[in-house]
Amino acid sequence: MMNDSWWHRTLVLSSVAALLAVAGPADAQTAPPLMEAVTLEEAVQRALKNNPTIAQASQGILRAEALLQQARSATLPNVNASFSTLVVSSERSFDDVVTQPRSQATLSASLSYPVLAASRWAATTQARDQIEIANLSTADVRTNIAVATAQTYLAIIAQKRQVEVSMRARETAMSHLDYARRRLEAGAGTRPN
C-alpha cells in the first residue's frame, strides 16, 4: 500500500494541476487570463479522468476478477486424455506367435470432479469478496480525488477573493489618505487624520 503522504501529495498535485485554470489574475485589467476558466464540475471531471491512481485501482479490479476465474477453474470438472505410440525396430515373437508388435498405440482418458472441495469453494468465495473490495476501493479513490479537487478549487477561489479584498482595502486606504491630505491642505483636518 502507498503511504499517506504520497497519497495526499498525489491528490493535491493532480487537483492543483487540474484547477490552475481558475487561478487567473485577480484584476482583469492588469493581465489577460493565462488559461481557460473551468467550472467546479469540469475540474472534478478532469481530475478524475487524468489521475493515475484511478487507473491503478481499476487494474486492481481486473486482477481480482482474474483471481476469481483462477479459483473458479479449480472447482470445475477436469478432463484429461493422452495418446501414445511406441514403435520398435522389429516385432518380437515366440514360437511363431507375435508377443510384441512393431508399433503399439495407447489411448487413455480420465474425468474428475471435485465433489468435496471445501477449500476450493472457499477460495472462490474469497476471490468474489476481493472483487467487491477492489470496487469499493476504486469508488473510495474516486471520492477522495473529487473531494481534494473540490477543496483545491474552493481554496483557489477563496485566495482570489482575498486578493480582491486586499486590493479594495488598499484603494479605500489610498482614497482616505487623499481625502485627509486635501482636508489638511484646506485647513480643515489634523495631521493624525
Side-chain angles (χ1 to χ4, degrees):
M1 291 295 293
M2 298 170 267
N3 63 26
D4 288 339
S5 63
W6 180 88
W7 175 256
H8 180 69
R9 187 173 54 242
T10 301
L11 286 175
V12 170
L13 289 177
S14 64
S15 299
V16 169
L19 295 174
L20 279 178
V22 176
D27 185 8
Q29 296 175 352
T30 58
L34 298 175
M35 295 185 172
E36 64 178 302
V38 190
T39 65
L40 175 61
E41 185 177 326
E42 290 171 342
V44 170
Q45 291 302 321
R46 286 183 186 182
L48 291 175
K49 178 183 170 190
N50 297 326
N51 195 294
T53 310
I54 294 175
Q56 290 173 347
S58 298
Q59 289 298 319
I61 293 172
L62 295 176
R63 181 179 179 276
E65 288 174 350
L67 290 174
L68 173 63
Q69 292 301 323
Q70 182 180 4
R72 193 180 288 159
S73 69
T75 62
L76 297 175
N78 189 10
V79 177
N80 290 318
S82 66
F83 179 78
S84 63
T85 303
L86 174 66
V87 178
V88 292
S89 59
S90 63
E91 52 183 43
R92 310 285 189 246
S93 60
F94 183 72
D95 282 335
D96 294 333
V97 176
V98 175
T99 57
Q100 183 177 8
R102 185 163 187 257
S103 64
Q104 296 177 347
T106 306
L107 173 66
S108 63
S110 66
L111 171 66
S112 63
Y113 183 76
V115 176
L116 298 174
S119 64
R120 293 177 183 174
W121 297 334
T124 302
T125 303
Q126 185 179 16
R128 280 191 194 102
D129 292 343
Q130 291 300 320
I131 290 174
E132 291 178 32
I133 290 170
N135 284 326
L136 291 174
S137 175
T138 300
D140 188 45
V141 167
R142 292 179 64 82
T143 301
N144 289 340
I145 290 170
V147 167
T149 303
Q151 288 174 341
T152 305
Y153 187 92
L154 294 175
I156 290 171
I157 290 174
Q159 289 298 317
K160 286 178 72 174
R161 298 293 188 255
Q162 185 61 40
V163 169
E164 290 172 5
V165 166
S166 297
M167 291 178 70
R168 285 185 185 167
R170 181 179 175 270
E171 290 170 5
T172 303
M174 294 297 286
S175 296
H176 180 72
L177 177 64
D178 185 45
Y179 173 72
R181 188 176 295 145
R182 279 189 272 145
R183 284 192 61 185
L184 183 62
E185 290 172 358
T190 61
R191 185 125 181 103
N193 266 345

PDB file of all heavy atoms in Angstrom, residues 65-83:
ATOM      1  N   GLU A  65     -10.689 -10.000 -10.604  1.00  0.00           N
ATOM      2  CA  GLU A  65     -11.523 -10.825 -11.483  1.00  0.00           C
ATOM      3  C   GLU A  65     -10.728 -11.998 -12.050  1.00  0.00           C
ATOM      4  O   GLU A  65     -11.253 -13.105 -12.180  1.00  0.00           O
ATOM      5  CB  GLU A  65     -12.114  -9.972 -12.593  1.00  0.00           C
ATOM      6  CG  GLU A  65     -13.203  -9.028 -12.106  1.00  0.00           C
ATOM      7  CD  GLU A  65     -13.688  -8.071 -13.175  1.00  0.00           C
ATOM      8  OE1 GLU A  65     -13.066  -7.992 -14.258  1.00  0.00           O
ATOM      9  OE2 GLU A  65     -14.693  -7.383 -12.916  1.00  0.00           O
ATOM     10  N   ALA A  66      -9.472 -11.766 -12.379  1.00  0.00           N
ATOM     11  CA  ALA A  66      -8.633 -12.858 -12.880  1.00  0.00           C
ATOM     12  C   ALA A  66      -8.405 -13.905 -11.793  1.00  0.00           C
ATOM     13  O   ALA A  66      -8.421 -15.118 -12.067  1.00  0.00           O
ATOM     14  CB  ALA A  66      -7.296 -12.309 -13.376  1.00  0.00           C
ATOM     15  N   LEU A  67      -8.207 -13.462 -10.558  1.00  0.00           N
ATOM     16  CA  LEU A  67      -8.040 -14.411  -9.455  1.00  0.00           C
ATOM     17  C   LEU A  67      -9.319 -15.215  -9.220  1.00  0.00           C
ATOM     18  O   LEU A  67      -9.265 -16.393  -8.868  1.00  0.00           O
ATOM     19  CB  LEU A  67      -7.618 -13.674  -8.184  1.00  0.00           C
ATOM     20  CG  LEU A  67      -6.195 -13.107  -8.196  1.00  0.00           C
ATOM     21  CD1 LEU A  67      -5.945 -12.267  -6.956  1.00  0.00           C
ATOM     22  CD2 LEU A  67      -5.168 -14.219  -8.328  1.00  0.00           C
ATOM     23  N   LEU A  68     -10.477 -14.575  -9.416  1.00  0.00           N
ATOM     24  CA  LEU A  68     -11.742 -15.301  -9.292  1.00  0.00           C
ATOM     25  C   LEU A  68     -11.826 -16.391 -10.355  1.00  0.00           C
ATOM     26  O   LEU A  68     -12.220 -17.529 -10.062  1.00  0.00           O
ATOM     27  CB  LEU A  68     -12.935 -14.349  -9.414  1.00  0.00           C
ATOM     28  CG  LEU A  68     -14.305 -15.021  -9.476  1.00  0.00           C
ATOM     29  CD1 LEU A  68     -14.591 -15.784  -8.188  1.00  0.00           C
ATOM     30  CD2 LEU A  68     -15.392 -14.006  -9.765  1.00  0.00           C
ATOM     31  N   GLN A  69     -11.477 -16.065 -11.598  1.00  0.00           N
ATOM     32  CA  GLN A  69     -11.510 -17.074 -12.663  1.00  0.00           C
ATOM     33  C   GLN A  69     -10.558 -18.236 -12.349  1.00  0.00           C
ATOM     34  O   GLN A  69     -10.892 -19.398 -12.598  1.00  0.00           O
ATOM     35  CB  GLN A  69     -11.135 -16.439 -14.008  1.00  0.00           C
ATOM     36  CG  GLN A  69     -12.165 -15.451 -14.518  1.00  0.00           C
ATOM     37  CD  GLN A  69     -13.528 -16.099 -14.705  1.00  0.00           C
ATOM     38  OE1 GLN A  69     -13.640 -17.241 -15.113  1.00  0.00           O
ATOM     39  NE2 GLN A  69     -14.570 -15.353 -14.379  1.00  0.00           N
ATOM     40  N   GLN A  70      -9.409 -17.912 -11.801  1.00  0.00           N
ATOM     41  CA  GLN A  70      -8.441 -18.945 -11.448  1.00  0.00           C
ATOM     42  C   GLN A  70      -8.997 -19.833 -10.334  1.00  0.00           C
ATOM     43  O   GLN A  70      -8.895 -21.062 -10.391  1.00  0.00           O
ATOM     44  CB  GLN A  70      -7.131 -18.306 -11.013  1.00  0.00           C
ATOM     45  CG  GLN A  70      -6.046 -19.295 -10.681  1.00  0.00           C
ATOM     46  CD  GLN A  70      -4.756 -18.605 -10.264  1.00  0.00           C
ATOM     47  OE1 GLN A  70      -4.701 -17.393 -10.153  1.00  0.00           O
ATOM     48  NE2 GLN A  70      -3.732 -19.392 -10.034  1.00  0.00           N
ATOM     49  N   ALA A  71      -9.588 -19.230  -9.315  1.00  0.00           N
ATOM     50  CA  ALA A  71     -10.150 -20.007  -8.207  1.00  0.00           C
ATOM     51  C   ALA A  71     -11.345 -20.827  -8.666  1.00  0.00           C
ATOM     52  O   ALA A  71     -11.521 -21.976  -8.245  1.00  0.00           O
ATOM     53  CB  ALA A  71     -10.557 -19.067  -7.074  1.00  0.00           C
ATOM     54  N   ARG A  72     -12.167 -20.262  -9.542  1.00  0.00           N
ATOM     55  CA  ARG A  72     -13.338 -20.963 -10.052  1.00  0.00           C
ATOM     56  C   ARG A  72     -12.929 -22.161 -10.914  1.00  0.00           C
ATOM     57  O   ARG A  72     -13.595 -23.198 -10.910  1.00  0.00           O
ATOM     58  CB  ARG A  72     -14.204 -20.004 -10.855  1.00  0.00           C
ATOM     59  CG  ARG A  72     -15.571 -20.551 -11.161  1.00  0.00           C
ATOM     60  CD  ARG A  72     -16.394 -19.582 -11.963  1.00  0.00           C
ATOM     61  NE  ARG A  72     -16.799 -18.454 -11.136  1.00  0.00           N
ATOM     62  CZ  ARG A  72     -17.175 -17.286 -11.607  1.00  0.00           C
ATOM     63  NH1 ARG A  72     -17.194 -17.079 -12.910  1.00  0.00           N
ATOM     64  NH2 ARG A  72     -17.545 -16.326 -10.814  1.00  0.00           N
ATOM     65  N   SER A  73     -11.841 -22.030 -11.644  1.00  0.00           N
ATOM     66  CA  SER A  73     -11.415 -23.131 -12.514  1.00  0.00           C
ATOM     67  C   SER A  73     -11.013 -24.363 -11.712  1.00  0.00           C
ATOM     68  O   SER A  73     -11.096 -25.486 -12.214  1.00  0.00           O
ATOM     69  CB  SER A  73     -10.263 -22.681 -13.411  1.00  0.00           C
ATOM     70  OG  SER A  73      -9.096 -22.479 -12.649  1.00  0.00           O
ATOM     71  N   ALA A  74     -10.601 -24.186 -10.462  1.00  0.00           N
ATOM     72  CA  ALA A  74     -10.213 -25.331  -9.641  1.00  0.00           C
ATOM     73  C   ALA A  74     -11.419 -26.137  -9.183  1.00  0.00           C
ATOM     74  O   ALA A  74     -11.264 -27.270  -8.729  1.00  0.00           O
ATOM     75  CB  ALA A  74      -9.423 -24.851  -8.427  1.00  0.00           C
ATOM     76  N   THR A  75     -12.625 -25.592  -9.315  1.00  0.00           N
ATOM     77  CA  THR A  75     -13.836 -26.321  -8.891  1.00  0.00           C
ATOM     78  C   THR A  75     -14.589 -26.927 -10.070  1.00  0.00           C
ATOM     79  O   THR A  75     -15.637 -27.524  -9.878  1.00  0.00           O
ATOM     80  CB  THR A  75     -14.784 -25.377  -8.120  1.00  0.00           C
ATOM     81  OG1 THR A  75     -15.201 -24.329  -8.988  1.00  0.00           O
ATOM     82  CG2 THR A  75     -14.118 -24.812  -6.889  1.00  0.00           C
ATOM     83  N   LEU A  76     -14.080 -26.768 -11.270  1.00  0.00           N
ATOM     84  CA  LEU A  76     -14.744 -27.301 -12.459  1.00  0.00           C
ATOM     85  C   LEU A  76     -14.285 -28.732 -12.731  1.00  0.00           C
ATOM     86  O   LEU A  76     -13.215 -29.149 -12.276  1.00  0.00           O
ATOM     87  CB  LEU A  76     -14.426 -26.418 -13.669  1.00  0.00           C
ATOM     88  CG  LEU A  76     -14.935 -24.971 -13.588  1.00  0.00           C
ATOM     89  CD1 LEU A  76     -14.451 -24.194 -14.800  1.00  0.00           C
ATOM     90  CD2 LEU A  76     -16.444 -24.944 -13.490  1.00  0.00           C
ATOM     91  N   PRO A  77     -15.078 -29.493 -13.490  1.00  0.00           N
ATOM     92  CA  PRO A  77     -14.640 -30.851 -13.860  1.00  0.00           C
ATOM     93  C   PRO A  77     -13.341 -30.791 -14.664  1.00  0.00           C
ATOM     94  O   PRO A  77     -13.081 -29.837 -15.403  1.00  0.00           O
ATOM     95  CB  PRO A  77     -15.781 -31.378 -14.733  1.00  0.00           C
ATOM     96  CG  PRO A  77     -16.946 -30.519 -14.420  1.00  0.00           C
ATOM     97  CD  PRO A  77     -16.401 -29.200 -13.994  1.00  0.00           C
ATOM     98  N   ASN A  78     -12.542 -31.809 -14.513  1.00  0.00           N
ATOM     99  CA  ASN A  78     -11.242 -31.868 -15.175  1.00  0.00           C
ATOM    100  C   ASN A  78     -11.217 -33.099 -16.078  1.00  0.00           C
ATOM    101  O   ASN A  78     -11.471 -34.218 -15.623  1.00  0.00           O
ATOM    102  CB  ASN A  78     -10.134 -31.944 -14.118  1.00  0.00           C
ATOM    103  CG  ASN A  78      -8.770 -31.799 -14.722  1.00  0.00           C
ATOM    104  OD1 ASN A  78      -8.624 -31.472 -15.880  1.00  0.00           O
ATOM    105  ND2 ASN A  78      -7.751 -32.048 -13.912  1.00  0.00           N
ATOM    106  N   VAL A  79     -10.928 -32.892 -17.356  1.00  0.00           N
ATOM    107  CA  VAL A  79     -10.851 -33.985 -18.318  1.00  0.00           C
ATOM    108  C   VAL A  79      -9.424 -34.047 -18.844  1.00  0.00           C
ATOM    109  O   VAL A  79      -8.865 -33.035 -19.278  1.00  0.00           O
ATOM    110  CB  VAL A  79     -11.828 -33.771 -19.499  1.00  0.00           C
ATOM    111  CG1 VAL A  79     -11.673 -34.885 -20.526  1.00  0.00           C
ATOM    112  CG2 VAL A  79     -13.248 -33.689 -19.002  1.00  0.00           C
ATOM    113  N   ASN A  80      -8.851 -35.260 -18.786  1.00  0.00           N
ATOM    114  CA  ASN A  80      -7.502 -35.473 -19.312  1.00  0.00           C
ATOM    115  C   ASN A  80      -7.540 -36.613 -20.317  1.00  0.00           C
ATOM    116  O   ASN A  80      -8.248 -37.600 -20.120  1.00  0.00           O
ATOM    117  CB  ASN A  80      -6.521 -35.841 -18.193  1.00  0.00           C
ATOM    118  CG  ASN A  80      -6.250 -34.685 -17.273  1.00  0.00           C
ATOM    119  OD1 ASN A  80      -6.083 -33.568 -17.725  1.00  0.00           O
ATOM    120  ND2 ASN A  80      -6.222 -34.959 -15.969  1.00  0.00           N
ATOM    121  N   ALA A  81      -6.781 -36.476 -21.375  1.00  0.00           N
ATOM    122  CA  ALA A  81      -6.677 -37.543 -22.372  1.00  0.00           C
ATOM    123  C   ALA A  81      -5.240 -37.585 -22.865  1.00  0.00           C
ATOM    124  O   ALA A  81      -4.566 -36.564 -22.944  1.00  0.00           O
ATOM    125  CB  ALA A  81      -7.629 -37.302 -23.532  1.00  0.00           C
ATOM    126  N   SER A  82      -4.779 -38.799 -23.167  1.00  0.00           N
ATOM    127  CA  SER A  82      -3.427 -38.928 -23.724  1.00  0.00           C
ATOM    128  C   SER A  82      -3.411 -40.056 -24.750  1.00  0.00           C
ATOM    129  O   SER A  82      -4.166 -41.015 -24.652  1.00  0.00           O
ATOM    130  CB  SER A  82      -2.409 -39.189 -22.611  1.00  0.00           C
ATOM    131  OG  SER A  82      -2.641 -40.445 -22.016  1.00  0.00           O
ATOM    132  N   PHE A  83      -2.571 -39.878 -25.707  1.00  0.00           N
ATOM    133  CA  PHE A  83      -2.390 -40.873 -26.770  1.00  0.00           C
ATOM    134  C   PHE A  83      -0.894 -41.051 -26.968  1.00  0.00           C
ATOM    135  O   PHE A  83      -0.156 -40.073 -27.091  1.00  0.00           O
ATOM    136  CB  PHE A  83      -3.045 -40.388 -28.064  1.00  0.00           C
ATOM    137  CG  PHE A  83      -2.889 -41.341 -29.195  1.00  0.00           C
ATOM    138  CD1 PHE A  83      -3.684 -42.483 -29.277  1.00  0.00           C
ATOM    139  CD2 PHE A  83      -1.939 -41.132 -30.189  1.00  0.00           C
ATOM    140  CE1 PHE A  83      -3.539 -43.372 -30.327  1.00  0.00           C
ATOM    141  CE2 PHE A  83      -1.791 -42.025 -31.229  1.00  0.00           C
ATOM    142  CZ  PHE A  83      -2.600 -43.144 -31.299  1.00  0.00           C
TER     143      PHE A  83
END
